[in-house]
Amino acid sequence: MSSRTLAKRLPEPEDRLPVPYDRRTVARGGRRATDGQIGSPVGSTGCRLVELPRIADPRGNLTPIEAGAQVPFAIERVYYLYDVPGGEARGGHAHRAFEEFIVAASGSFDVVVDDGVHAERFFLNRSYYGLYLPPMVWRELDNFSSGSVCLVLASARYDEADYIRDYDEFVGAR
Ligand code: TYD
């Protein structure tokens, strides 16, 4: 199965408007950073949304992220995706051992995660939420809004040997 096929077999969230910061049920498999589900944020794949501190300031807000506090691993690398053309998707791989933490630093996008059995779609649209991904989770990122920035914190320096880029190989390796 190609990575693009996987993303397409998942349901789309029912709308893309920001929702009030309250508890609500998300229909059709979508989960938003603003859903207020943070009391039970661990999904079936072991990925989880983490609410980050917000230091509100009339001059502009600030959100800190610290290893061992909001992120359960030592941060060895930071990278970010930007200037993603409309309709494009990123990801399409799993990591054998690396952990990652994904933040919509600006704008919004979806992260589709799949552990080979269960798949979930997370909608990240707030810079004060992050999505933790344990090892051995297939991920695809799509529906990038214009001007969005996807900030990723990773548990290790870049190493192609940690990637699994073929979905069937990923499922077989589980
Ligand atoms: P890749 O991880 O496949 O991108 P994405 O999953 O975000 O779509 O990486 C794309 C290219 O960038 C690939 O040739 C490897 C390179 N790269 C680095 O050199 N260092 C890094 O930290 C990352 C994440 C990628």
Side-chain angles (χ1 to χ4, degrees):
M1 181 187 302
S2 80
S3 58
R4 298 291 138 78
T5 308
L6 167 67
K8 288 202 168 46
R9 78 183 159 88
L10 281 169
E12 292 292 322
E14 75 270 35
D15 65 62
R16 307 221 151 258
L17 297 173
V19 295
Y21 192 71
D22 63 0
R23 178 172 288 277
R24 57 172 283 180
T25 303
V26 177
R28 301 165 61 196
R31 189 185 290 233
R32 291 175 179 72
T34 45
D35 279 341
Q37 295 181 351
I38 306 308
S40 56
V42 182
S44 52
T45 59
C47 298
R48 62 177 184 268
L49 282 170
V50 176
E51 185 171 7
L52 301 168
R54 258 185 299 171
I55 302 171
D57 192 308
R59 300 170 300 164
N61 301 332
L62 184 154
T63 287
I65 306 175
E66 296 187 355
Q70 297 81 25
V71 176
F73 54 79
I75 299 162
E76 291 286 331
R77 178 167 49 111
V78 175
Y79 64 93
Y80 39 97
L81 300 169
Y82 54 99
D83 292 347
V84 178
E88 270 300 346
R90 299 292 313 226
H93 62 256
H95 283 290
R96 298 176 194 278
F98 292 178
E99 299 165 81
E100 291 194 326
F101 189 84
I102 301 177
V103 178
S106 184
S108 65
F109 49 84
D110 288 358
V111 185
V112 180
V113 294
D114 182 327
D115 66 2
V117 178
H118 303 104
E120 299 177 280
R121 179 181 287 273
F122 290 88
F123 177 46
L124 298 185
N125 66 340
R126 293 289 182 268
S127 37
Y128 49 87
Y129 278 89
L131 180 65
Y132 168 72
L133 277 64
M136 290 304 284
V137 168
W138 189 267
R139 82 287 312 271
E140 294 170 15
L141 290 77
D142 60 17
N143 290 317
F144 286 87
S145 68
S146 176
S148 58
V149 177
C150 169
L151 175 68
V152 184
L153 313 179
S155 63
R157 303 271 302 266
Y158 173 76
D159 182 359
E160 185 62 32
D162 194 69
Y163 281 75
I164 304 177
R165 294 189 183 274
D166 179 85
Y167 184 76
D168 293 330
E169 180 188 345
F170 161 71
V171 172
R174 291 286 308 177

